[in-house]
Amino acid sequence: MSTTISQGVKISVTTIFRKDLSNADASEFYYNYVIEIENQNAFDIQLLHRHWKIADSLRPMRIVEGPGVIGEQPKLAPGEVFSYSSGCDLESEIGFMVGTYEFVQFDARGNKAGTFDVDVPKFRLEFPPKLN
């Protein structure tokens, strides 16, 4: 698991190699990742935007960005946790993802009080037999 705390938001990532979807002979490697976002601030926040860099040793760096995650823009009260699962494909046996989330902060009246970026920790995408 990879974990970081940035701007009062804790991000934890767990990765899973998907043997059932992968074909090493055809250079197709699929991974799922589960991300848990915890608001450790004293104010409400809402995830607005994601920005990913996906490294694959057999491809140029890919950039993926867009609104929210998995079609949602979750709002988190202090102490609240949001978790989601997504996936990624690689053409090589080893790669990684790293990125940022943009959040909006809300004041005590529920008004938007500015935006800030939160780091998503770098997490490795590894074909298990390659590690032996």
Side-chain angles (χ1 to χ4, degrees):
M1 177 184 297
S2 299
T3 300
T4 191
I5 299 173
S6 171
Q7 302 288 335
V9 180
K10 180 179 178 184
I11 308 287
S12 299
V13 185
T14 305
T15 58
I16 303 136
F17 173 68
R18 293 295 306 269
K19 182 179 180 180
D20 59 320
L21 298 176
S22 299
N23 181 345
D25 294 334
S27 295
E28 297 172 350
F29 302 92
Y30 290 90
Y31 302 85
N32 282 119
Y33 53 89
V34 178
I35 296 186
E36 185 175 277
I37 303 166
E38 179 181 349
N39 181 9
Q40 296 183 339
N41 291 294
F43 47 82
D44 291 355
I45 60 173
Q46 184 174 17
L47 194 156
L48 298 178
H49 191 267
R50 72 186 182 285
H51 178 87
W52 290 111
K53 292 180 184 177
I54 304 171
D56 180 339
S57 61
L58 295 178
R59 281 182 165 170
M61 181 78 70
R62 287 185 282 171
I63 304 296
V64 176
E65 51 189 356
V69 292
I70 62 164
E72 297 184 46
Q73 292 181 310
K75 188 172 182 179
L76 302 169
E80 195 169 3
V81 175
F82 176 80
S83 180
Y84 74 95
S85 179
S86 192
C88 179
D89 66 301
L90 298 180
E91 290 181 8
S92 67
E93 298 169 330
I94 296 177
F96 69 84
M97 290 178 62
V98 66
T100 57
Y101 293 137
E102 179 186 12
F103 284 88
V104 64
Q105 172 182 341
F106 293 90
D107 65 21
R109 294 182 176 167
N111 298 315
K112 293 180 181 179
T115 61
F116 61 95
D117 289 338
V118 168
D119 296 326
V120 178
K122 178 179 175 179
F123 56 96
R124 296 177 62 94
L125 305 168
E126 301 170 322
F127 178 52
K130 187 69 172 177
L131 301 177
N132 293 329

